[in-house]
């Protein structure tokens, strides 16, 4: 039987890497896209036009679109990655977050049942370390109790339990990957890692003076997204339908991430002050390049995530240390240094062209 994957969230960070991964394995890949006033599909632009890559309009909030699409595509594997994935935004849009991140999972499960594909279609659910929230033990594994601590996490908890329920009630092969933070050069620009690597690149190239961050003490277990999509696939190839923690097993603070990112951008930081008054100072110039703003504090913040990937290592043969923390930060900074330089050159060329057109030098 041909492997046919349906990816919700195909335009996102993980969706783009997973598409590449599955296409390389010979899958026929179908992805869900949403109508937008600007066609902004940068992460998958290089895949469009490939014979095995197909995009379809649908929405996690629209059951009918999902039922029809699942019926049309007849997937053998569904990767449900679509979500309102920003924790801070979930405090501003809690109802929408629940609609997409909680009920959306149910809609996918029901779309599979409505099309009578329960016994032929496996489902991967993008679950999250945010379920551990106000953590009750460190490090966290598959048996650690959940204590969700944001509207995002509460919505994802429903997703986790409805997957488990359908597995037990209808004997469906549906699993949650409880993924800890994973980052990359394709990470959204308002997540803390990418915000830092882009700012470090801009500051190093004289395009920005300072970056404002929230809780610098927050601890995360950061991995590389490219490594993590392999694990999503491995979870669906496992002989049993089970949930897995995916993490590196190594923890760092936001402050440590920033120190290393600025280092790779050529700026050595010295930290002074505490809490809201803490600052990261460029040792060479004495200028403040990192400051704290209450705008980035959350009503409740998850501050101690640290995953134990032993089960994935043992049962899936997955290597959690393929890309180290240092390598991840280096990859992201190197990419953003090039991006900032390229944006600068493109800007200069646009200005020159406008001038030449005005003067009639070029027509
Ligand atoms: P991301 O970059 O924010 O991508 C989210 C994707 O979901 C985008 O393709 C987005 O489409 C799509 N989407 C949002 N609302 C939708 C809707 N109503 N209907 C259809 N599609 C919709 O997220 P990511 O970092 O790749 O994460 C992938 C999944 O893993 C998410 O479910 C996230 O919650 C979960 N997760 C992520 C991490 C992490 O560290 N990255 C860790 C644990 C779990 P548009 O491009 O049109 O907005
Ligand atoms: O925050 C702190 C912030 O927004 C990480 C999503 O992919 O991973 C992600 O959620 C930490 C938090 O990611 C800023 O308070 C400090 O403690 O990068 P983040 P997240 O909230 O961990 C999980 C596993 C998911 O499932 C989510 O989908 O960093 N922090 N200063 C900041 N965070 C942001 N965004 N911006 C700051 O300026």
């Amino acid at each position: 039987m041909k492997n046919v994957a349906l990816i919700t969230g195909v335009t996102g960070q993980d969706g783009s890497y997973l598409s590449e991964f599955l296409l390389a394995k010979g899958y026929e890949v179908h992805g869900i896209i949403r109508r937008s006033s600007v066609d902004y599909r940068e992460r998958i632009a290089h895949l469009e036009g490939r014979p095995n890559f197909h995009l379809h309009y649908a929405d996690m909030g629209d059951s009918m679109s999902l039922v029809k699409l699942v019926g049309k595509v007849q997937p053998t594997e569904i990767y449900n990655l679509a979500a309102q994935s920003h924790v801070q935004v979930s405090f501003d849009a809690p109802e929408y977050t629940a609609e997409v991140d909680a009920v959306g999972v149910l809609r996918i499960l029901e779309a599979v049942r409505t099309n009578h594909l329960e016994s032929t279609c496996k489902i991967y659910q993008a679950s999250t370390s945010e379920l551990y929230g106000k953590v009750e033990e460190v490090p966290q594994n598959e048996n650690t109790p959940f204590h969700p601590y944001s509207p995002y996490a509460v919505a994802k908890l429903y997703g986790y339990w409805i997957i488990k329920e359908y597995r037990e009630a209808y004997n469906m092969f549906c699993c949650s990957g409880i993924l800890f933070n994973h980052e990359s050069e394709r990470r959204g620009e308002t997540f803390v890692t990418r915000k830092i690597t882009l700012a470090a690149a801009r500051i190093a190239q004289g395009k920005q003076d300072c970056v404002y961050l929230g809780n610098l003490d927050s601890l995360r277990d950061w991995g590389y997204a490219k490594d993590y999509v392999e694990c999503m696939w491995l979870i669906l190839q496992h002989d049993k339908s089970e949930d897995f923690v995916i993490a590196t097993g190594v923890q760092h603070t936001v402050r440590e991430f920033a120190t290393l990112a600025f280092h790779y951008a050529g700026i050595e930081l010295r930290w002074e002050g505490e809490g809201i008054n803490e600052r990261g100072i460029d040792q060479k110039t004495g200028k403040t390049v990192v400051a704290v703003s209450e705008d980035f504090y959350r009503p409740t913040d998850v501050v101690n995530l640290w995953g134990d990937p032993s089960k994935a290592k043992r049962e899936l043969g997955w290597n959690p240390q393929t890309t180290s923390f240092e390598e991840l930060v280096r990859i992201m900074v190197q990419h953003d240094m090039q991006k900032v330089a390229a944006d600068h050159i493109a800007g200069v060329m646009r200005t020159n062209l406008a001038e030449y057109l005005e003067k009639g030098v070029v027509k």
Side-chain angles (χ1 to χ4, degrees):
M1 194 163 64
K2 191 168 169 49
N3 289 318
V4 180
L6 174 63
I7 304 178
T8 74
V10 75
T11 55
Q13 170 188 257
D14 293 2
S16 65
Y17 284 122
L18 181 65
S19 298
E20 288 169 5
F21 179 87
L22 295 176
L23 286 170
K25 290 216 167 285
Y27 277 64
E28 183 178 306
V29 175
H30 296 260
I32 287 180
I33 50 167
R34 303 193 279 174
R35 147 83 189 139
S36 152
S37 64
V38 279
D39 271 340
Y40 198 67
R41 305 208 286 261
E42 196 184 32
R43 295 186 181 107
I44 52 166
H46 61 295
L47 301 177
E48 291 190 46
R50 290 229 200 151
N52 277 341
F53 188 64
H54 310 278
L55 298 175
H56 311 266
Y57 285 104
D59 196 293
M60 295 305 289
D62 181 343
S63 305
M64 199 57 85
S65 70
L66 298 173
V67 170
K68 281 196 287 188
L69 187 58
V70 169
K72 182 176 158 190
V73 167
Q74 298 278 310
T76 54
E77 295 175 10
I78 295 181
Y79 295 86
N80 184 37
L81 310 184
Q84 190 303 93
S85 72
H86 204 285
V87 173
Q88 188 154 11
V89 171
S90 78
F91 288 97
D92 297 325
E95 185 181 338
Y96 175 72
T97 303
E99 200 45 68
V100 175
D101 298 10
V103 187
V105 187
L106 177 68
R107 292 190 182 104
I108 288 288
L109 289 162
E110 279 299 308
V112 170
R113 290 190 67 225
T114 307
N115 286 290
H116 310 293
L117 299 175
E118 299 97 311
S119 56
T120 54
C121 179
K122 301 177 181 181
I123 303 170
Y124 169 84
Q125 164 59 14
S127 192
T128 168
S129 53
E130 290 291 311
L131 299 188
Y132 301 118
K134 192 176 179 189
V135 299
E136 298 188 7
E137 67 184 32
V138 279
Q140 295 96 31
N141 63 32
E142 290 79 5
N143 301 315
T144 301
F146 297 137
H147 188 144
Y149 215 35
S150 65
Y152 167 80
V154 174
K156 283 282 186 177
L157 187 65
Y158 176 88
Y160 173 88
W161 278 108
I162 201 70
I163 285 282
K164 204 169 161 53
E165 175 58 23
Y166 274 49
R167 184 159 72 214
E168 289 170 14
Y170 305 117
N171 201 23
M172 287 169 71
F173 195 111
C174 43
C175 322
S176 291
I178 305 173
L179 270 62
F180 282 63
N181 298 53
H182 44 282
E183 317 294 316
S184 74
E185 59 275 34
R186 296 185 194 169
R187 183 61 142 152
E189 296 180 9
T190 58
F191 294 98
V192 76
T193 54
R194 189 76 199 286
K195 182 173 166 183
I196 292 170
T197 59
L198 263 174
R202 288 195 185 115
I203 292 168
Q205 295 181 44
K207 302 277 174 210
Q208 184 177 331
D209 295 326
C210 180
V211 60
Y212 292 87
L213 300 174
N215 184 359
L216 298 172
D217 291 315
S218 191
L219 285 155
R220 285 291 182 278
D221 178 330
W222 280 296
Y224 189 29
K226 218 174 184 172
D227 301 339
Y228 283 35
V229 297
E230 182 199 5
C231 217
M232 298 176 187
W233 177 76
L234 285 171
I235 289 174
L236 291 196
Q237 312 317 308
H238 192 48
D239 49 5
K240 277 187 285 180
S241 176
E242 285 180 12
D243 305 325
F244 287 88
V245 159
I246 309 300
T248 67
V250 182
Q251 208 188 25
H252 291 277
T253 60
V254 170
R255 188 183 298 98
E256 284 164 354
F257 190 100
T259 305
L260 195 58
F262 274 85
H263 166 76
Y264 285 131
I267 297 171
E268 300 305 328
L269 291 184
R270 178 177 78 240
W271 294 94
E272 283 184 9
E274 273 177 31
I276 193 79
N277 297 315
E278 185 165 358
R279 294 176 304 145
I281 295 167
D282 179 344
Q283 289 188 26
K284 204 157 127 200
T285 63
K287 286 185 184 162
T288 296
V289 290
V290 184
V292 176
S293 164
E294 274 180 5
D295 288 350
F296 302 107
Y297 286 171
R298 297 172 182 181
T300 47
D301 197 12
V302 171
V303 294
N304 196 2
L305 291 180
W306 182 11
D308 172 3
S310 309
K311 183 181 172 192
K313 222 168 137 179
R314 192 177 59 243
E315 294 186 26
L316 303 177
W318 181 68
N319 175 10
Q321 255 96 45
T322 306
T323 307
S324 68
F325 174 72
E326 290 72 19
E327 184 62 2
L328 168 68
V329 182
R330 195 195 59 73
I331 291 169
M332 291 177 72
V333 173
Q334 189 179 42
H335 173 273
D336 285 339
M337 289 293 277
Q338 285 167 5
K339 176 182 159 49
V340 172
D343 288 350
H344 174 74
I345 292 167
V348 171
M349 284 168 71
R350 265 197 307 274
T351 312
N352 287 348
L353 184 62
E355 239 176 66
Y356 294 154
L357 284 170
E358 205 178 296
K359 290 179 185 160
V361 179
V362 287
K363 293 197 175 26

